[in-house]
């Protein structure tokens, strides 16, 4: 269940854009008319009918994005992000829906906590939010949450993100129980005795810089275990923020064996490597860590061939003072909602590494399907969830350029090509650049 | 107010302010930089042999020693080096300072920066602390040890000691023995030895040799016999304080000492033995080896003052040390 601010829907005509919808197989210059938030007409030289007209020659019109992995820090750390700022950031990044992780304070592990969030979203969310609930109470790995009640209260899925489900028997119970609820289970794969003390990927760079290593095997071992349990229970399973090539291999072979497994990858893991850590910039510290170039290439290949179906930002805002410390003392996590499309366009699409259509599919319909959400699309009678992209413009993210309350971006000062010009989310203009 | 004229004019200095330079990692130095620093250290060492040991070179300059970890050698030799060059020295330790009241490193940096120090020498348990100081002050920053990352002046004084003793570094074979995983000295020294054309072999138990470290240009052996071929045996301390509790890097110190301890029967006559101190006698090094004539350990300490004088002088005067300032400021 996605929850957004109650507000009147918009009437619009978007004229002259190059419309691309990889699922609907559209790639042509065409007009789109929206009546009360619903796409009413797609065609050439559509009448304004008194609607607001957006002249979009030279821009790309695409299904808006869905981010399956956002930390909104609410409740508990509203100084870092809240529902309003996080969804404004999402709108500025071209998203028409985001899914919020439950590792807040308190954890979203009861219908009461979830209910309060849903109520707030009805007045504050600029774009609709889907809330995930915890698998275990307080995310402590001990007892299961009341999943049926949470699902009825609106949970779109379940995860203990930030932590693995340590006990295999508990993960098995959760999968069994969820088959009655029909919600997706998402797992953070980390074997914590292997990742303990790790600040970055274990390899030549960590050896040289002296950081405790967080080896790839700490992720891939847990990926293999969790996929094994999902296969045994014949239940679907979603793997959060994959970072290692060995994990991709595990996912690919599980899918080939018929396991209903999906995976997501972040923009930073698709673009960055452990070599970048040499600057000791604490905005490059995240969990899982940036890995080696071969890992990055494996992730790009997996996104291209569909082994990984979704780009997820893992947007993790942190207060400025928490990141202004030596790298070793800094918390894990970087922001990403407002730069995801731009950096992936700049680093992967513009140089010809992946096709624009592929990226658009993995940022919108792909993530929506994981959680059985209505995919955004350019189609008559569909709710208007659209993004207008200016692929020619260049810009530089700076500390003051974000709608998010936090600026711990790994891209500060970088020059990016391509930017969101307009976002229509659930039939409303949510952002205009 | 009348024009202010400099009280001392050194005709050798180039006009105008030089760009702000730091010594954070050996990786920031070229071979020429190292040669220049070692040459300067030789000059200063001669001045230390005189009855009057003080030089006016840095009169009116301020050096702050900011130590967040215990230290005997490094803090005392930096202090002495600055005093020998006539700089004003202020030493701040984390215990008894505002750090105990929860002040962040950034705020400590800003506070100290208000006194306009020329150089801040920092030792800190966390990698990247010198970068934080460089970002938030206008001072030249000297890294006196940041976590397991770097300890560049230790590497320079080791090079100096070897050059004084053996006349050259190029072509030597150095075995670095022990707890490489937790050692910033090892990382700085591998880079320094490789930069100067020496061959480096790391020797120790596999869990204490970080995976992938060969990429730094060294070899790895898990057998203590590998030290036999080396000209120099560089012994590292077992760094208990940096080890994660319960990680079992080695089953026991007894087994470590028996398998990898540098004992008299494992050292050839004429083989030079070095140790950055403090030593755990009977663990990584046998007492007899530490006290033998071929041990350079006391000479390493002695070199510390001249080398740190050279570093302070070089930073505050001229010299084309490759700047990392741009990188650091880009991050800020």
């Amino acid at each position: 269940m996605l929850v957004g601010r109650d507000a009147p829907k918009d009437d619009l005509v978007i004229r002259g854009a190059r419309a691309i919808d990889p699922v609907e197989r559209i790639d042509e210059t065409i007009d789109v008319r929206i009546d009360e938030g619903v796409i009413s007409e797609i065609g050439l030289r559509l009448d304004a009918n008194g609607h607001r007209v957006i002249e979009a020659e030279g821009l790309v019109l695409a299904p808006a994005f869905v981010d399956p992995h956002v930390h909104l820090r609410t409740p508990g750390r509203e100084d870092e992000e809240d529902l309003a700022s996080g969804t404004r950031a999402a709108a500025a990044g071209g998203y028409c829906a985001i899914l919020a992780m439950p590792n807040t304070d308190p954890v979203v592990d009861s219908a009461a906590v979830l209910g309060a969030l849903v109520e707030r979203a009805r007045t504050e969310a600029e774009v609709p939010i889907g809330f995930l609930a915890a698998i275990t109470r307080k995310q402590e790995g001990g007892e299961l949450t009341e999943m049926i009640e949470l699902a009825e209260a609106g949970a779109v899925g379940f995860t203990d993100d930030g932590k693995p489900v340590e006990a295999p028997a508990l993960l098995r119970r959760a999968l069994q129980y969820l088959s009655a609820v029909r919600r997706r289970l998402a797992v953070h794969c980390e074997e914590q005795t292997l990742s303990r003390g790790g600040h970055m990927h274990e390899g030549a760079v960590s050896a040289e810089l002296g950081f405790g290593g967080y080896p790839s095997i700490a992720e891939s071992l847990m990926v293999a275990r969790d996929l094994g349990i999902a296969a045994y229970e014949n239940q679907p399973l979603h793997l959060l923020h994959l970072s290692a090539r060995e994990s991709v291999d595990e996912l690919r072979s599980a899918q080939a064996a018929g396991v209903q497994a999906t995976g997501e990858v972040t923009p930073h893991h698709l673009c960055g490597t452990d070599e970048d850590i040499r600057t000791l910039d604490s905005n490059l510290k995240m969990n899982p860590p940036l890995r080696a170039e071969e890992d990055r290439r494996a992730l790009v290949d997996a996104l291209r061939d569909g082994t990984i179906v979704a780009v997820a930002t893992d947007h993790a805002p942190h207060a400025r003072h928490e990141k202004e410390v030596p790298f070793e003392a800094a918390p894990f996590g970087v922001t990403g909602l407002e730069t995801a499309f731009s950096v992936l366009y700049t680093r992967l699409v513009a140089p010809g590494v992946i096709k624009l259509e592929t990226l658009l599919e993995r940022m919108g319909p792909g993530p929506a399907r994981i959680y059985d959400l209505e995919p955004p699309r350019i189609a008559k009678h569909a709710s208007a969830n659209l993004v207008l992209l200016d692929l020619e413009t260049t810009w530089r993210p700076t500390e003051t350029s974000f709608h998010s309350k936090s600026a711990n971006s790994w891209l500060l000062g970088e020059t990016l090509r391509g930017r969101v010009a307009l976002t229509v989310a659930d039939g409303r203009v949510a952002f205009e650049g | 107010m009348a024009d202010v004229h400099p009280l001392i004019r050194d005709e050798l200095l180039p006009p105008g302010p030089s760009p702000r330079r730091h010594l954070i990692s050996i990786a920031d130095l070229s071979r020429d930089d190292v040669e220049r620093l070692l040459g300067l250290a030789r000059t200063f060492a001669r001045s230390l042999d005189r009855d009057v040991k003080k030089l006016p070179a840095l009169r009116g300059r301020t050096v702050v020693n900011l130590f967040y970890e215990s230290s005997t050698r490094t803090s005392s030799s930096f202090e002495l080096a600055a005093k020998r060059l006539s700089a004003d020295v202020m030493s701040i330790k984390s215990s008894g300072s505002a750090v105990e009241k929860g002040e962040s490193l950034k705020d400590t940096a800003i506070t100290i920066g208000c006194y306009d120090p020329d150089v801040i020498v920092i030792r800190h348990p966390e990698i990247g602390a010198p970068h934080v100081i460089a970002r938030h002050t206008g001072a030249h920053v000297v890294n006196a040890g940041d976590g397991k990352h770097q300890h560049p002046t230790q590497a320079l004084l080791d090079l100096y000691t070897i050059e004084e003793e053996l006349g050259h570094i190029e072509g030597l074979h150095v075995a670095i023995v022990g707890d490489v995983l937790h050692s910033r000295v090892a990382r700085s020294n591998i880079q320094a030895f490789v930069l100067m054309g020496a061959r480096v072999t790391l020797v120790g138990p596999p869990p204490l040799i970080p995976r992938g470290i060969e990429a730094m240009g060294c070899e790895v052996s898990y057998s203590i016999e590998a030290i036999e071929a080396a000209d120099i045996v560089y012994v590292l301390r077992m760094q208990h304080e940096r080890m994660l509790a319960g990680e079992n890097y080695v089953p026991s110190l007894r087994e470590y000492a028996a398998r990898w301890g540098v004992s008299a029967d494992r050292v050839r006559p004429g083989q030079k033995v070095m140790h950055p101190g403090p030593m755990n006698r009977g663990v990584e090094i046998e007492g007899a080896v530490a006290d033998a004539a071929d041990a350079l350990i006391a000479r390493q300490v002695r070199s510390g003052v001249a080398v740190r004088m050279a570093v302070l002088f070089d930073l505050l005067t001229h010299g084309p040390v490759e700047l990392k300032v741009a990188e650091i400021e880009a991050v800020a």
Side-chain angles (χ1 to χ4, degrees), chain A residues 265 269-271 295-305 348 353-354:
Chain A
V265 61
H269 288 106
L270 289 166
C271 299
D295 296 293
R296 190 193 68 79
R297 285 171 188 269
L299 294 168
V300 171
D301 289 344
L303 189 72
R304 193 193 293 111
D305 72 19
L348 297 181
V353 179
I354 66 170

Side-chain angles (χ1 to χ4, degrees), chain A residues 193 196-198 202-212 278-282 320 323-329 399 412, chain B residues 105-106 124-129 131-132 135-136 147-149 187 191 210-213 215-216 244-247 327 331-332:
Chain A
T193 65
R196 182 172 175 237
E202 180 173 273
V205 183
S206 68
E208 181 181 334
L209 294 178
F211 283 115
R278 290 181 188 280
T279 61
L280 302 186
D281 178 358
S282 58
R320 195 177 137 107
K323 282 286 195 178
E324 277 181 327
V325 294
F327 191 96
E328 264 186 305
E399 259 197 280
L412 294 177
Chain B
L105 185 61
K106 175 187 167 180
H124 197 280
E126 285 159 350
I127 298 171
H131 296 73
V132 174
R135 240 171 264 153
H136 298 292
K148 295 173 283 179
H149 180 215
R187 293 186 172 81
Q191 286 175 339
R211 192 181 166 100
I213 199 156
M216 294 181 78
L244 294 167
E247 276 292 320
E327 245 174 54
V331 169

Side-chain angles (χ1 to χ4, degrees), chain A residues 81-111:
Chain A
E81 200 79 284
D82 59 28
L83 305 191
S85 66
T87 49
R88 275 200 303 275
Y95 290 92
C96 63
I98 59 175
L99 302 190
M101 294 291 130
N103 61 338
T104 47
D105 182 16
V107 169
V108 183
D109 62 357
S110 70

Side-chain angles (χ1 to χ4, degrees), chain A residues 136-342:
Chain A
T136 65
R137 288 173 200 260
K138 296 184 181 177
Q139 294 195 319
E140 284 174 346
E143 300 166 69
L144 294 181
T145 55
E146 293 169 331
M147 290 177 166
I148 295 175
E149 187 171 80
L150 281 160
E152 284 169 354
V156 296
F158 291 85
T159 185
D160 274 0
D161 179 49
K163 290 178 180 171
V165 178
E166 210 175 298
L170 195 66
L171 180 67
R172 185 180 171 206
R173 290 284 170 260
L175 282 167
Q176 289 174 334
Y177 199 65
L178 271 182
S179 64
V181 188
R182 301 176 57 83
R183 290 287 189 283
R184 189 61 49 98
L185 197 77
V187 284
H188 166 120
C189 296
E190 174 182 356
E191 206 297 313
Q192 290 183 308
T193 65
L194 290 169
S195 63
R196 182 172 175 237
H199 294 274
M200 66 175 290
H201 173 61
E202 180 173 273
V205 183
S206 68
E208 181 181 334
L209 294 178
F211 283 115
Y214 181 149
S216 294
I217 185 77
E219 176 180 278
S220 60
L221 195 64
M222 214 57 161
V223 165
R225 187 203 78 171
D226 291 359
L227 289 172
I229 296 169
Y232 185 75
E233 288 298 332
N234 194 25
Q235 288 297 321
L237 184 68
H238 178 58
L239 307 176
L240 301 167
H241 49 48
L242 295 177
S243 69
R245 62 185 185 279
E246 295 86 349
S247 305
V248 172
D249 293 342
E250 295 286 353
L251 175 59
R252 192 176 279 123
S253 43
Q255 287 169 341
V259 181
Q260 306 165 60
T262 51
E264 64 180 36
V265 61
T266 70
H268 44 272
H269 288 106
L270 289 166
C271 299
T273 69
D274 58 348
E275 288 288 338
D276 302 334
I277 309 292
R278 290 181 188 280
T279 61
L280 302 186
D281 178 358
S282 58
N283 285 336
L284 290 164
K285 184 171 177 180
M286 68 286 283
N287 180 5
L290 298 179
R291 298 203 182 273
E293 175 62 14
E294 309 88 84
D295 296 293
R296 190 193 68 79
R297 285 171 188 269
L299 294 168
V300 171
D301 289 344
L303 189 72
R304 193 193 293 111
D305 72 19
T307 305
I308 291 177
V309 289
V311 171
T313 65
D314 196 359
H315 178 82
H318 282 291
R320 195 177 137 107
H321 69 267
E322 290 182 356
K323 282 286 195 178
E324 277 181 327
V325 294
F327 191 96
E328 264 186 305
F332 293 104
V334 296
T335 57
L337 279 170
E338 293 170 72
T339 51
F341 174 78
S342 296

Side-chain angles (χ1 to χ4, degrees), chain B residues 151-319:
Chain B
H151 191 357
T153 58
Q154 177 70 44
L156 291 170
L157 73 87
D158 289 332
L159 292 178
Y160 178 83
T161 307
I162 293 166
E163 207 170 63
E164 289 299 293
E165 187 64 29
L166 300 175
H168 66 108
I169 298 161
E170 172 118 42
L172 289 178
H173 183 189
V174 184
I176 298 179
V177 188
D179 180 5
V180 176
L181 183 67
H182 298 96
S183 176
R184 56 193 172 210
V185 172
R187 293 186 172 81
S188 286
N189 278 29
I190 294 166
Q191 286 175 339
F193 287 133
V194 169
L195 180 68
M196 303 309 285
R199 175 182 163 201
V200 177
T201 305
L202 307 179
V203 182
L208 292 176
I209 307 284
R211 192 181 166 100
I213 199 156
E214 295 90 342
M216 294 181 78
C218 52
E219 301 154 38
V220 168
S221 170
Y222 301 132
S223 162
I224 191 67
E225 280 78 43
I227 71 172
E228 200 185 332
D231 302 296
I232 292 164
V233 179
Y234 196 104
V235 190
L236 299 170
R237 184 170 66 85
M238 283 294 268
Q239 305 214 35
H240 309 287
E241 78 280 8
R242 295 195 201 284
M243 294 186 185
L244 294 167
E247 276 292 320
N248 292 306
Y249 293 106
V250 291
S252 72
L253 288 182
R254 197 195 64 76
E255 175 150 304
Y256 176 82
R259 290 285 158 178
W260 287 281
V262 176
S263 54
D265 58 319
R266 287 175 174 156
V267 180
R268 283 188 286 109
Q271 229 174 358
K272 301 297 178 191
V273 176
M274 301 176 77
H275 193 299
M279 287 185 280
N280 295 312
R281 288 176 185 247
V283 181
E284 72 267 4
I285 189 166
E286 201 175 71
V289 176
D291 297 333
D294 282 325
L296 304 181
I297 298 164
R299 254 165 284 181
Q300 287 172 268
V301 178
R302 201 175 160 71
S303 305
V305 178
V307 167
R308 286 172 177 128
M309 286 169 80
V311 167
L312 293 174
F313 181 84
D314 192 79
L315 282 177
L316 286 176
T317 55
H318 54 297

Side-chain angles (χ1 to χ4, degrees), chain B residues 6 22 36 81 92 97 104 116 120 133 144 147-148 155 176 219 275 278:
Chain B
H22 310 294
R36 186 181 70 250
I92 300 168
S97 74
S104 71
D116 295 328
I120 297 176
I133 301 289
K148 295 173 283 179
I176 298 179
E219 301 154 38
H275 193 299

